[in-house]
Amino acid sequence: MARLGRVLLLLTTCLGLLGTAGCGDDYDGLVIGVVLPMTGPQATYGEESWNGLQLAEADLRQAGTNIKFKLVLKDEKSTPQEAQTQAKTLMELEGAHVLLGSVASSNTKTIAGAAKENGTPCITPASTNDNLTTGNPWLSRICYKDSVQGGVLATFALSNGWKRAAVCVDNESDYSRGFADNFKGAFEAAGGTTHFEYFKAGNADYSNVIQGVADANPDVIFISGYYEDGGPMIKQAKARWEGKPVIGGDGLDSAEFLTLIGDAQNPIYFSTHFAPDAPDEPAVKAFAERYRERFGKEPGAMAALGYDVLFVLMDAAKRCANPKSAAELNTAIGATKNVKGITGLISLDNPDRTPNKPLVIVKVEGGAKKFHSTIKP
Amino acid sequence: MDAGVLQLPLAIKLDLWLTDQVILVGLFALLALSLNLINGWGRMFSLGHHGFYFLGAYGAAWLTAALPTGLPGALVFVTTCLFGMLVATAGGLLIGVPCLRLRGDYLAIATLGFGEGVRLVISNADVRVPPGFTVPRVLFEVNSSNLLMYRLLFLGIVILLVVGVVLLIRNYVRSSAGRAMLAVAQDERAAGLLGINPTGSKVLVFLMGSAIAGLAGAVYAHYSGSVAPKDFEFVLMVTIFLIVVLGGLGSISGCILAAFLLRATERGLGMVGGVVSEWWQVEFALILILLMIFRPNGIFGPRELTDVIRDWRQRRRAGSKA
């Protein structure tokens, strides 16, 4: 009796916990569902994006908007399956009219798949994989895509006289693989040669890749991956990479990266969406200052993209007679033209619903990120 | 509520969400049941079950993309699911035949290596599912108007599979081959003296387990519409193993109940919000530790829900007599 009673008690507790979730139904404004990695290996991306979104929300509310809206955040725990489950929870349980998320391309892919079948518009602030928006009219993005980033990075490397590149790839990541393939295409078309080395995300020891790269004796090392692997890789390589230049993409742009590389002496450059110290950009400087003031941290690219994505969405919502209508809102998002964001001018009125923005090259120097140059693709 | 028109879509959306959750619980129950067959009844300590799930999902996804378009959807669905099952079974054969002579921890290490290795080899070997990891919808094109139907269809499929596997295990354990398996699990040498082929019996159980896991993987690939290697990492194996231990080694109803409880607890913690959700991993671990302290043999131990209810009734009857 006591045993069965305990089991039943546990069961009812769990059901009770589930029941508390369905309370968002009587809200009559625009419900914006946000799916971000708040725990797991990509947690700093989630945190930065969410900070950016909160800052944007505060600014919008202060400026006064006649659209009633609220943000509902769900944690995708840095895995694709959880991302899809959370996207479904937002759309089906929380009544989200639009989704924002996520960061990693593999995770955004599962969210976008669910959004398409649910008929809910979705904007990703930061997923750059080219294939994401093909064949899915419900997904838009406010960042550049990897074919652009790969091309720009290849041009950048060649303009520095680096002809032979060693490329570090994680085959299990859509971002890493797509980005590396795009780089290879552009780099080899312009006369460079590439040598691929493969790593596994989340490893504690990268010595295989490091040795493989060192044996290939390249002019430049390209790490196609996220900061949580790139950082330790550079740190562990130390003398074996003999101060060779290292390049990467927006996946390396995290405050954590600067700590992870330790005292590595290699010159490091990466392409990204924004640099807080970019010259002649008062809006960027103001944003960076307010971000530091509120969160006590240096804003990364994800913070700026998180900030911009809400402005793009609200700009589209303003042009709708009824922003809660999924089809109308999605059409409006797709018609976005010249929204001035922190990361540049954003226009989504193209078949890919991807903006054509300039990229920023950042140099890591003395444990800090320094603006290097802006490149228009 | 005044807006009666608006209420209906919300109710449908809630149905959508609930079916999604039940389907995922069902898939976990399938995985746990098949692992229980190997670990619980067969007493073989396998830690490579996520590898079979992965093989099933990737096999099905790959064949779906490779088959010419225009074939009838139901045929493609069944063929790819069977293919996923076949691939997983082949994987089971590959690891089972050489490794099942190992015992205890050694077998655990060998299967663990298989489960991790097979995923790494395949995702690095250029046989990825084109384009990216998207699995085309084969039964019908899904949109917001027929999404509930699609989910209900899969709910039916998953429930059917769970019932089928429950019946299979129940009858197998009572069959002569099943009793041979139980004998081998108790004492291999003694069973050998009775004329049972221990390795053969073990391989058979192992293959059944891997086939069921592969089938679950194939259904998952079709249901979710995309597969990613990151979803088949060792964490998944831990979850399946937890369900088996929580449900009780050798308990069918315990397994299903545990799959539900584990999922509900995880979801519940994530939904409360605030500090509770932020610390979900810690709380989840704490709940598991407490459960293991108070119910070290799982919810029902090796018994079934029906046994527990019968005992409870008997005790109540005895109590009322006294």
Side-chain angles (χ1 to χ4, degrees):
Chain A
M1 173 80 211
R3 184 174 297 150
L4 196 70
R6 248 182 284 160
V7 172
L8 283 176
L9 189 74
L10 202 73
L11 245 164
T12 41
T13 318
C14 293
L15 280 176
L17 283 173
L18 276 174
T20 53
C23 349
D25 296 349
D26 44 2
Y27 183 78
D28 65 342
L30 185 71
V31 181
I32 303 169
V34 183
V35 190
L36 288 170
M38 303 308 287
T39 54
Q42 285 141 13
T44 69
Y45 283 158
E47 192 196 327
E48 270 201 353
S49 312
W50 181 236
N51 286 349
L53 275 164
Q54 282 176 299
L55 205 59
E57 187 191 7
D59 284 3
L60 278 163
R61 296 217 188 279
Q62 203 183 9
T65 166
N66 47 10
I67 299 169
K68 193 177 167 191
F69 73 93
K70 68 166 181 182
L71 298 172
V72 184
L73 172 70
K74 292 281 174 198
D75 173 19
E76 47 114 301
K77 300 171 188 168
S78 306
T79 65
Q81 200 220 309
E82 189 64 21
Q84 192 181 55
T85 305
Q86 294 300 354
K88 284 176 181 166
T89 304
L90 281 167
M91 292 183 290
E92 291 155 15
L93 202 62
E94 305 278 350
H97 300 102
V98 55
L99 292 180
L100 302 180
S102 180
V103 180
S105 294
S106 301
N107 303 7
T108 301
K109 182 178 283 173
T110 66
I111 296 174
K116 181 186 175 189
E117 294 184 345
N118 256 287
T120 303
C122 176
I123 314 178
T124 171
S127 291
T128 48
N129 185 282
D130 277 49
N131 297 331
L132 289 176
T133 50
T134 26
N136 187 351
W138 291 94
L139 179 70
S140 316
R141 68 175 128 210
I142 61 147
C143 52
Y144 50 69
K145 50 184 183 176
D146 282 334
S147 53
V148 173
Q149 180 169 229
V152 164
L153 206 61
T155 318
F156 172 76
L158 288 166
S159 71
N160 279 293
W162 303 324
K163 292 243 179 289
R164 286 174 304 140
V167 185
C168 306
V169 188
D170 170 16
N171 259 340
E172 295 193 353
S173 152
D174 284 325
Y175 166 73
S176 174
R177 189 147 157 157
F179 187 15
D181 288 345
N182 281 309
F183 175 84
K184 181 186 157 111
F187 196 69
E188 290 183 350
T193 55
T194 54
H195 169 83
F196 274 51
E197 283 290 329
Y198 300 93
F199 68 90
K200 183 186 164 335
N203 261 2
D205 178 63
Y206 297 93
S207 45
N208 280 343
V209 193
I210 292 168
Q211 196 54 49
V213 167
D215 290 345
N217 191 27
D219 301 328
V220 62
I221 299 148
F222 168 36
I223 299 178
S224 178
Y226 296 110
Y227 69 93
E228 74 255 20
D229 299 304
M233 209 184 287
I234 296 171
K235 185 182 182 181
Q236 289 170 20
K238 279 212 169 115
R240 276 186 283 176
W241 282 359
E242 299 163 346
K244 287 208 165 80
V246 178
I247 54 172
D250 55 337
L252 299 184
D253 193 357
S254 159
E256 194 82 0
F257 178 68
L258 302 172
T259 344
L260 288 171
I261 55 172
D263 56 352
Q265 294 303 314
N266 308 59
I268 302 168
Y269 303 87
F270 57 80
S271 54
T272 184
H273 309 268
F274 123 111
D277 57 341
D280 315 318
E281 294 278 0
V284 172
K285 282 218 167 63
F287 164 78
E289 256 158 48
R290 269 180 309 133
Y291 187 94
R292 277 183 214 115
E293 199 180 303
R294 176 155 174 186
F295 302 106
K297 278 178 191 162
E298 195 62 20
M302 299 305 137
L305 289 170
Y307 185 86
D308 281 357
V309 75
L310 195 59
F311 276 89
V312 169
L313 173 63
M314 293 319 277
D315 172 78
K318 258 184 243 161
R319 286 181 273 117
C320 291
N322 174 21
K324 284 195 274 181
S325 149
E328 199 182 340
L329 183 61
N330 198 43
T331 314
I333 293 169
T336 298
K337 202 152 179 64
N338 293 335
V339 173
K340 179 91 183 83
I342 300 298
T343 60
L345 273 185
I346 297 167
S347 298
L348 303 178
D349 54 345
N350 52 57
D352 248 355
R353 292 166 313 283
T354 299
N356 189 19
K357 292 190 292 187
L359 283 81
V360 175
I361 303 276
V362 164
K363 185 177 186 195
V364 178
E365 233 170 13
K369 289 186 298 183
K370 299 262 162 61
F371 172 84
H372 180 269
S373 55
T374 305
I375 300 181
K376 285 213 169 72
Chain B
M1 282 287 172
D2 51 319
V5 195
L6 275 172
Q7 287 299 308
L8 191 69
L10 276 177
I12 289 178
K13 290 203 158 181
L14 185 66
D15 289 345
L16 274 174
W17 185 79
L18 282 174
T19 42
D20 181 55
Q21 296 299 315
V22 177
I23 289 167
L24 291 177
V25 168
L27 287 173
F28 270 105
L30 277 177
L31 284 174
L33 282 170
S34 52
L35 183 68
N36 210 341
L37 192 60
I38 298 171
N39 277 25
W41 285 282
R43 298 279 156 183
M44 290 174 272
F45 194 12
S46 164
L47 285 179
H49 219 57
H50 58 311
F52 303 123
Y53 188 54
F54 170 81
L55 280 177
Y58 261 63
W62 177 81
L63 189 67
T64 309
L67 281 176
T69 47
L71 292 171
L75 181 75
V76 176
F77 179 75
V78 173
T79 319
T80 51
C81 283
L82 288 178
F83 181 72
M85 199 166 144
L86 196 74
V87 174
T89 317
L93 200 66
L94 199 73
I95 182 75
V97 170
C99 292
L100 285 179
R101 291 163 208 278
L102 299 173
R103 273 171 225 191
D105 305 348
Y106 302 105
L107 180 66
I109 302 283
T111 47
L112 169 65
F114 170 78
E116 288 293 284
V118 72
R119 189 189 80 243
L120 288 174
V121 167
I122 288 188
S123 52
N124 281 292
D126 267 321
V127 284
R128 300 218 304 184
V129 185
F133 299 97
T134 312
V135 186
R137 294 290 190 211
V138 291
L139 292 170
F140 46 84
E141 199 54 47
V142 185
N143 53 43
S144 53
S145 58
N146 60 14
L147 184 58
L148 186 61
M149 217 164 81
Y150 195 76
R151 297 255 176 105
L152 287 175
L153 181 66
F154 268 86
L155 184 68
I157 293 171
V158 168
I159 289 178
L160 217 65
L161 284 178
V162 171
V163 171
V165 168
V166 166
L167 288 177
L168 176 81
I169 293 179
R170 208 184 67 130
N171 289 341
Y172 182 74
V173 171
R174 290 174 188 174
S175 72
S176 69
R179 287 182 204 280
M181 164 187 81
L182 294 177
V184 173
Q186 291 269 318
D187 189 326
E188 245 185 271
R189 209 161 292 173
L193 283 174
L194 290 173
I196 298 166
N197 174 0
T199 311
S201 161
K202 280 157 81 178
V203 169
L204 184 66
V205 176
F206 201 76
L207 289 187
M208 275 168 63
S210 44
I212 297 168
L215 186 59
V219 172
Y220 169 73
H222 279 292
Y223 173 65
S224 103
S226 60
V227 282
K230 289 229 156 54
D231 284 331
F232 300 90
E233 292 191 343
F234 190 62
V235 185
L236 176 70
M237 178 66 224
V238 175
T239 315
I240 310 169
F241 190 63
L242 270 176
I243 295 174
V244 172
V245 174
L246 268 183
L249 291 167
S251 170
I252 295 174
S253 45
C255 239
I256 297 171
L257 189 64
F260 173 76
L261 281 179
L262 207 76
R263 192 80 192 169
T265 316
E266 201 188 339
R267 283 285 143 250
L269 288 176
M271 280 180 173
V272 176
V275 186
V276 181
S277 292
E278 254 170 62
W279 288 76
W280 76 272
Q281 281 160 316
V282 178
E283 292 149 2
F284 192 60
L286 207 67
I287 291 172
L288 292 176
I289 293 170
L290 288 176
L291 261 171
M292 281 298 104
I293 291 174
F294 292 111
R295 309 266 337 138
N297 289 326
I299 303 172
F300 303 135
R303 305 186 311 161
E304 297 295 342
L305 183 63
T306 44
D307 302 332
V308 175
I309 293 174
R310 198 190 50 222
D311 283 10
W312 174 66
R313 276 207 182 136
Q314 269 171 2
R315 234 176 303 153
R316 206 175 58 164
R317 215 171 296 143
S320 64
K321 258 181 209 162

